[in-house]
Amino acid sequence: MATTIGAKQQLQRGASCRPARAGLKRAVRVQAIASEPRVAVTSNNGAAPGTTLGDWSPESWRKRTAHQQPNYPDKEEVAKACGEIKSYPPLIFAGECRNLQERLAKAAVGEAFILQGGDCAEAFTQFSANQIRDTYRVLLQMSVVMMFGGGVPVVKLGRMAGQFAKPRSADLETKGDVSLPSYRGDIINGPEFTEQARIPDPWRLVRAYNQSAATLNLLRGFSTGGYAGLKRIANWNLDFMANSDEGKAYMDLARRVDEALQFMMACGLSSDSDIMSETEFYTSHECLLLDYEEALTRLDSTTNTWYDCSAHFLWCGERTRQLDASHVEFMRGIQNPIGVKVSDKMDPAELVSLIASLNPDNTPGRLAVIVRMGAEKLRAKFPALIEAVEQAGQVVTWVCDPMHGNTESCNGFKTRRYDNVRAEVEAFFDVHDAMGSVPGGVHLEMTGDNVTECVGGGSAVGEEDLNTRYHTHCDPRLNAEQSLEMAFYVASRLRQRKEKIAKQKNQHITLAF
């Protein structure tokens, strides 16, 4: 499936699509890959696929180099803390992971879309029911905007209930003449720049587990207890957004959805049905701190396979995706749906090898490739990655992370400009339009709080506003208004894509006659 020279030139100029028939043919081929994998399905020792992984075990990662791990001063305390977590119940269940994998498989072929969002890093000091509720509520709003505007189901995937650890570019942070271990997230050490706070403490692992369990308990209650029901769509608006353009646009959409629901109920849909009163919501975090992940990896009795029961979905970061290192070794054996983040540094052939290692059975919905490059680099580098994966016949779900390639410093704060974030999402859709491939989702660092961490957007956060409500310990997040504005843009692109495909199908039918 070689990309033509003309298409590559179009991508470099930012053009949005190939000729209609070429795009349709490629879309059909992607769907065929999903239904009939072309990568050979092999098994070890003659066993059924997925039942054994040779010498893999939850501990086998320890035989390889583990990057981005804390240097605990007392290894015995680490073993005690992890032993305690091993005795605790799982945070999620294998059956939930299998359900999520089915949803992600649909996103790979354009029959659904993934909305993944939440904190850069959860904090112990900022933990409250209201904060969980507000972020959850914005994700609900965003999903409704995308579903109603884009016409596809939205898979809701929160960076919640476990997103504590953060990779660092340097082991030490220096201020003046003082150098201390870098802050690696509350699950490891504290953000305060003191010697005591920066010592890695293994008992923070237990506290992170307990906070994750409490968060999940609340999320399950919201999702199944009526709070997330479509009947309440007009009640999801956040107070501080009531007079904003995004808030008004959402309320207008909510009224239209309510009218549609009233019509459906008049046609016989019960207001007590699950679709009206419940929603599916899944959790995710970066698979970074391997001691913690191993402690929560359990054998599923129904399938005799291993699941990391710390979250439904885990991803491997740009700094830890080495083929011969510990994180890839660990993730290849767990049966959760997983992701891998790649930047412009990723070589197409290396990506094919990485996918083959993480998804050797070529199972649809098993693996998401999350691209994070910045708009300009994405237009230049992403087409070659798509082409290599399609030529290898590999099934992946492509997801856009427009946050991590757009971080900059301003007035002493780390920030991101909304316009740059949106430009990368735009480039993501443009490249897929040109290649005839499928945009599967977006991955955002965002919050339901009224923060001033990212510059621009409809909330009009200026550079001078950054110190007003800058609450993150790590990377800057989109606030609720900026997040909702992004959802409306994504919905418009999904709608355009749906209309384009319908038009191409009609043209194809006409030509057939």
Side-chain angles (χ1 to χ4, degrees):
M1 294 185 184
T3 305
T4 66
I5 294 176
K8 289 181 179 178
Q9 290 172 341
Q10 285 181 328
L11 286 167
Q12 291 168 356
R13 294 195 302 266
S16 62
C17 62
R18 274 185 174 182
R21 291 191 66 188
L24 178 61
K25 286 181 180 179
R26 187 177 291 272
V28 171
R29 288 178 185 174
V30 172
Q31 292 178 13
I33 291 171
S35 59
E36 296 180 11
R38 287 183 281 168
V39 170
V41 177
T42 58
S43 59
N44 296 296
N45 302 321
T51 59
T52 180
L53 287 160
D55 59 353
W56 187 90
S57 71
E59 305 87 21
S60 60
W61 64 269
R62 297 181 181 276
K63 301 174 183 177
R64 303 193 180 189
T65 302
H67 300 282
Q68 295 286 335
Q69 302 303 290
N71 183 20
Y72 290 110
D74 190 335
K75 304 299 183 184
E76 291 185 4
E77 287 298 298
V78 178
K80 289 179 182 177
C82 289
E84 191 162 317
I85 293 173
K86 286 182 180 179
S87 70
Y88 292 166
L91 290 172
I92 56 89
F93 304 101
E96 296 171 334
C97 294
R98 290 190 284 272
N99 290 340
L100 174 59
Q101 184 168 309
E102 291 179 5
R103 311 298 186 264
L104 301 184
K106 291 183 177 180
V109 295
E111 296 175 3
F113 193 79
I114 301 164
L115 170 61
Q116 186 173 6
D119 271 320
C120 164
E122 294 172 282
F124 293 158
T125 57
Q126 296 176 4
F127 175 59
S128 73
N130 287 346
Q131 287 195 317
I132 296 167
R133 178 203 62 204
D134 288 349
T135 297
Y136 177 81
R137 183 161 50 175
V138 172
L139 286 168
L140 289 180
Q141 288 181 316
M142 295 171 72
S143 67
V144 167
V145 168
M146 292 179 184
M147 284 191 295
F148 196 77
V152 293
V154 171
V155 184
K156 295 174 286 296
L157 194 53
R159 289 173 57 110
M160 305 170 75
Q163 180 54 29
F164 290 101
K166 293 295 294 182
R168 302 283 82 176
S169 57
D171 289 333
L172 296 176
E173 179 184 356
T174 301
K175 292 185 178 180
D177 297 331
V178 179
S179 293
L180 295 175
S182 294
Y183 170 62
R184 291 183 173 273
D186 278 10
I187 196 172
I188 296 171
N189 55 6
E192 302 83 8
F193 193 73
T194 66
E195 185 175 356
Q196 183 63 32
R198 293 300 175 90
I199 297 174
D201 177 5
W203 291 100
R204 285 175 170 264
L205 301 171
V206 176
R207 185 172 178 182
Y209 170 92
N210 289 329
Q211 181 169 319
S212 297
T215 300
L216 270 162
N217 182 57
L218 191 59
L219 292 173
R220 292 184 195 280
F222 284 150
S223 298
T224 61
Y227 181 86
L230 285 174
K231 295 179 292 185
R232 290 180 48 86
I233 183 172
N235 298 325
W236 293 343
N237 213 24
L238 299 170
D239 293 338
F240 61 80
M241 291 176 57
N243 297 318
S244 70
D245 290 342
E246 287 70 34
K248 292 175 182 176
Y250 173 77
M251 291 307 296
D252 178 64
L253 182 142
R255 284 189 288 271
R256 292 160 59 198
V257 171
D258 187 61
E259 290 173 358
L261 292 176
Q262 293 296 329
F263 173 75
M264 292 168 64
M265 285 188 284
C267 292
L269 177 68
S270 171
S271 61
D272 296 325
S273 65
D274 290 347
I275 194 172
M276 294 289 288
S277 60
E278 299 181 4
T279 193
E280 290 184 350
F281 192 88
Y282 301 95
T283 61
S284 67
H285 63 256
E286 181 174 357
C287 180
L288 186 62
L289 192 53
L290 293 175
D291 286 306
Y292 180 77
E293 305 301 341
E294 178 191 327
L296 280 165
T297 300
R298 310 291 165 83
L299 188 66
D300 175 38
S301 59
T302 62
T303 61
N304 199 36
T305 56
W306 293 95
Y307 284 82
D308 184 345
C309 295
S310 67
H312 301 104
F313 177 95
L314 299 110
W315 73 86
C316 187
E318 168 73 8
R319 295 184 178 96
T320 54
R321 58 171 174 75
Q322 300 87 352
L323 275 166
D324 59 349
S326 293
H327 288 82
V328 170
E329 167 62 20
F330 176 79
M331 293 187 72
R332 76 179 181 90
I334 59 174
Q335 296 305 300
N336 309 57
I338 57 175
V340 58
K341 285 198 177 184
V342 301
S343 72
D344 59 293
K345 300 180 180 67
M346 172 60 83
D347 176 77
E350 182 184 359
L351 178 58
V352 169
S353 296
L354 183 58
I355 293 169
S357 179
L358 292 173
N359 189 20
D361 294 343
N362 207 30
T363 304
R366 156 70 174 172
L367 182 63
V369 177
I370 308 166
V371 292
R372 41 152 294 186
M373 302 182 185
E376 185 176 347
K377 291 179 179 178
L378 188 142
R379 291 186 186 276
K381 302 288 187 179
F382 190 31
L385 298 181
I386 295 174
E387 188 172 40
V389 170
E390 289 192 354
Q391 287 181 343
Q394 294 172 320
V395 184
V396 303
T397 308
W398 297 107
V399 177
C400 175
D401 170 3
M403 309 299 293
H404 287 87
N406 293 299
T407 306
E408 60 183 79
S409 180
C410 180
N411 296 335
F413 293 92
K414 288 174 69 175
T415 191
R416 290 155 174 159
R417 299 184 185 277
Y418 177 85
D419 287 349
N420 294 340
V421 173
R422 172 174 158 161
E424 185 162 354
V425 175
E426 182 178 10
F428 178 74
F429 276 95
D430 285 350
V431 169
H432 280 297
D433 279 350
M435 299 292 290
S437 48
V438 179
V442 291
H443 181 133
L444 304 171
E445 288 186 342
M446 44 74 66
T447 177
D449 293 341
N450 188 21
V451 299
T452 54
E453 298 170 2
C454 293
V455 175
S459 58
V461 177
E463 295 179 3
E464 67 281 0
D465 299 318
L466 289 173
N467 65 349
T468 306
R469 293 182 300 277
Y470 194 96
H471 298 156
T472 181
H473 288 323
C474 291
D475 292 339
R477 304 161 294 176
L478 299 175
N479 62 27
E481 289 185 55
Q482 293 165 331
S483 299
L484 199 54
E485 184 175 354
M486 181 63 68
F488 276 107
Y489 176 72
V490 170
S492 72
R493 294 303 303 257
L494 291 173
R495 183 172 60 253
Q496 290 171 21
R497 182 177 184 276
K498 187 175 183 179
E499 291 171 350
K500 177 183 174 182
I501 291 174
K503 183 178 179 180
Q504 290 172 355
K505 286 181 178 179
N506 289 335
Q507 290 176 343
H508 186 68
I509 292 171
T510 301
L511 289 172
F513 282 97

